[in-house]
Amino acid sequence: MATYKLLLLPGDGIGPEVMSEVEKVLARLSAMGVAKFEIERGLVGGSAYDAHGQSISESDMKLALAADAVLFGAVGGPKWDGVPYDVRPEAGLLRLRKDLQLFANLRPAICYPALAEASSLKREIVEGLDIMIVRELTGGVYFGEPKQIIDLGNGQKRGIDTQVYDTYEIERIGRVAFELARKRRNKVTSSEKRNVMKSGVLWNEVITALHKRDYADVELEHQLADSLAMQLVRWPKQFDVIVTDNLFGDMLSDIAAMLTGSLGMLPSASLGEVDKVTDKRRALYEPVHGSAPDIAGKGMANPIAMIGSLAMCLRYSFGLGETADRIETAIADVLAAGLRTADIKGDAKDVISTAAMGDAILARLG
Ligand code: NAD
């Protein structure tokens, strides 16, 4: 049986509550003989600050670097609003992304038929939706230099951010998108603003050349980012994999997320380069939602985004696609049976707790 090293970083607020449900699933998968999981646990965010005065300790960073994958809950909350900027809870997540060099952010937007009513769009537009947004995560305007506010001396100031991409950054994110598409419906939509941005012209050229050279079997289309935003709410089912830069990806993935209803349903993955020697890639999996301080400690959190993040981990880091499919089918079955946490209540009469939702998914795993 294969052995995988997992680091669990539950974090703050509802993070530990939803991570407990993932631990149950991992225990069940081990008992079923799917794989052996060597589990380490660490602190991140406010809980790490309370324990060590840092948003993540050096020893937990070492564990993250040594792990086959990291599962991350959520960080932050009003308790830590006043802590120094460089040790604020979010700094732990940014450090992980930076040190693990996680350049590709994968956000699936899946609309389970049972939840189609929770979307702000009409049922026929979102029911059965299954798209994947691949966002470049470590480059572009959020990191480009110069990045500053300068005083022009005449009562005016100038704010400057720099959008910058090199060929290799576009190529490596393009590869992630094309490889994913091959395992899905074989279509990639690349998005930029080549009509007004030089970085968009280069993005378009590099993706087109990469496609021609290595991925001609995959369908490729290009859409301007503003037009794609419109298409996402007009007819999202036309898309399979969307690949885009850091800034546009930030916005387009939030639009796609809302097509599906609740924050409590959305998993994500952040991936690094494949190591040429070990053939493994660094990876961190986390729900899209935050620490939800308003419901923390009440047993109300929806664990589906966190459990869905584990399913992504099994599929993309451990090659256990069939087990991931089983988890996702169990989630769909639970929803089809009408079981709901408070955030996805809709017209349901009763709601169940975080732990009861985890147990219901487990019961359908076999
Ligand atoms: P949030 O995602 O924590 O909560 C937004 C709303 O969605 C809340 O009403 C919350 O109760 C609800 N919600 C979120 N996840 C849910 C779940 N699993 N089940 C049921 N309901 C859920 O966003 P926020 O309120 O803007 O931020 C709260 C804290 O989380 C802040 O400190 C913020 O900085 C932090 N945050 C962290 C991350 C992260 O760790 N990656 C991401 C976003 C926000």
Side-chain angles (χ1 to χ4, degrees):
M1 205 183 351
T3 302
Y4 300 105
K5 272 200 243 174
L6 259 177
L7 174 65
L8 308 188
L9 296 172
D12 310 318
I14 61 168
E17 297 170 52
V18 292
M19 191 65 85
S20 294
E21 302 313 306
V22 156
E23 294 225 34
K24 286 188 203 164
V25 177
L26 284 168
R28 175 65 62 86
L29 296 180
S30 296
M32 286 161 63
V34 167
K36 193 162 170 271
F37 301 103
E38 274 176 18
I39 297 177
E40 302 270 10
R41 295 168 186 80
L43 297 174
V44 68
S47 57
Y49 178 78
D50 289 347
H52 327 285
Q54 288 174 298
S55 51
I56 183 160
S57 67
E58 293 309 317
S59 59
D60 283 345
M61 271 312 304
K62 274 199 190 127
L63 289 177
L65 287 162
D68 293 321
V70 178
L71 286 178
F72 182 99
V75 291
K79 181 178 174 197
W80 300 283
D81 279 350
V83 307
Y85 187 76
D86 58 334
V87 289
R88 71 199 187 285
E90 292 76 12
L93 179 56
L94 296 180
R95 167 98 193 266
L96 283 159
R97 284 182 182 159
K98 183 164 167 275
D99 288 13
L100 301 182
Q101 298 179 347
L102 306 173
F103 68 89
N105 185 229
L106 275 53
R107 277 222 213 163
I110 295 171
C111 183
Y112 294 95
L115 287 187
E117 300 302 337
S119 171
S120 48
L121 298 188
K122 291 186 199 120
R123 172 178 278 278
E124 64 268 26
I125 293 183
V126 292
E127 186 173 12
L129 178 75
D130 178 4
I131 60 181
M132 176 75 81
I133 306 232
V134 178
R135 165 188 170 194
E136 201 291 326
L137 201 58
T138 51
V141 74
Y142 292 169
F143 296 97
E145 295 287 345
K147 187 178 202 54
Q148 58 190 157
I149 297 175
I150 45 179
D151 198 329
L152 298 177
N154 56 355
Q156 295 286 305
K157 290 181 180 177
R158 178 172 295 154
I160 303 172
D161 292 287
T162 306
Q163 165 82 345
V164 50
Y165 272 109
D166 291 355
T167 307
Y168 81 94
E169 294 174 288
I170 305 170
E171 253 190 41
R172 67 181 181 180
I173 194 78
R175 280 190 191 285
V176 171
F178 285 121
E179 298 285 344
L180 273 171
R182 277 185 176 158
K183 294 183 190 141
R184 295 169 48 94
R185 298 188 300 282
N186 218 32
K187 178 176 170 186
V188 169
T189 305
S190 171
S191 188
E192 26 60 23
K193 287 277 290 174
R194 63 188 176 282
N195 52 341
V196 285
M197 295 170 77
K198 286 293 177 195
S199 56
V201 172
L202 182 69
W203 183 282
N204 186 282
E205 279 175 16
V206 172
I207 295 284
T208 304
L210 176 66
H211 174 249
K212 198 168 163 203
R213 200 167 64 238
D214 292 337
Y215 298 98
D217 56 303
V218 181
E219 185 188 342
L220 170 67
E221 66 170 11
H222 299 277
Q223 282 197 19
L224 296 175
D226 48 343
S227 159
L228 193 143
M230 285 196 290
Q231 292 298 331
L232 264 180
V233 289
R234 194 185 72 84
W235 188 240
K237 288 186 211 169
Q238 68 184 278
F239 299 110
D240 178 17
V241 175
I242 295 170
V243 62
T244 189
D245 75 9
N246 203 343
L247 174 66
F248 297 136
D250 197 358
M251 288 162 202
L252 295 172
S253 61
D254 269 17
I255 297 176
M258 273 303 103
L259 301 176
T260 69
S262 164
L263 263 179
M265 299 292 303
L266 297 165
S268 78
S270 300
L271 308 178
E273 293 274 24
V274 177
D275 185 305
K276 289 200 176 75
V277 180
T278 62
D279 205 31
K280 289 182 178 175
R281 74 186 327 153
R282 296 245 161 81
L284 180 145
Y285 299 86
E286 59 176 322
V288 168
H289 62 72
S291 59
D294 51 335
I295 57 165
K298 297 181 182 165
M300 289 170 67
N302 184 347
I304 291 179
M306 188 76 242
I307 294 174
S309 301
L310 169 64
M312 289 188 85
C313 170
L314 298 175
R315 179 176 292 121
Y316 297 121
S317 283
F318 303 160
L320 296 171
E322 274 178 30
T323 311
D325 289 347
R326 278 171 79 166
I327 293 177
E328 286 162 0
T329 304
I331 292 172
D333 288 352
V334 162
L335 296 171
L339 298 173
R340 299 284 187 269
T341 43
D343 57 312
I344 50 172
K345 180 171 179 286
D347 297 330
K349 276 204 197 87
D350 301 314
V351 295
I352 60 173
S353 68
T354 309
M357 181 57 94
D359 290 341
I361 292 168
L362 270 190
R364 285 160 177 82
L365 263 186

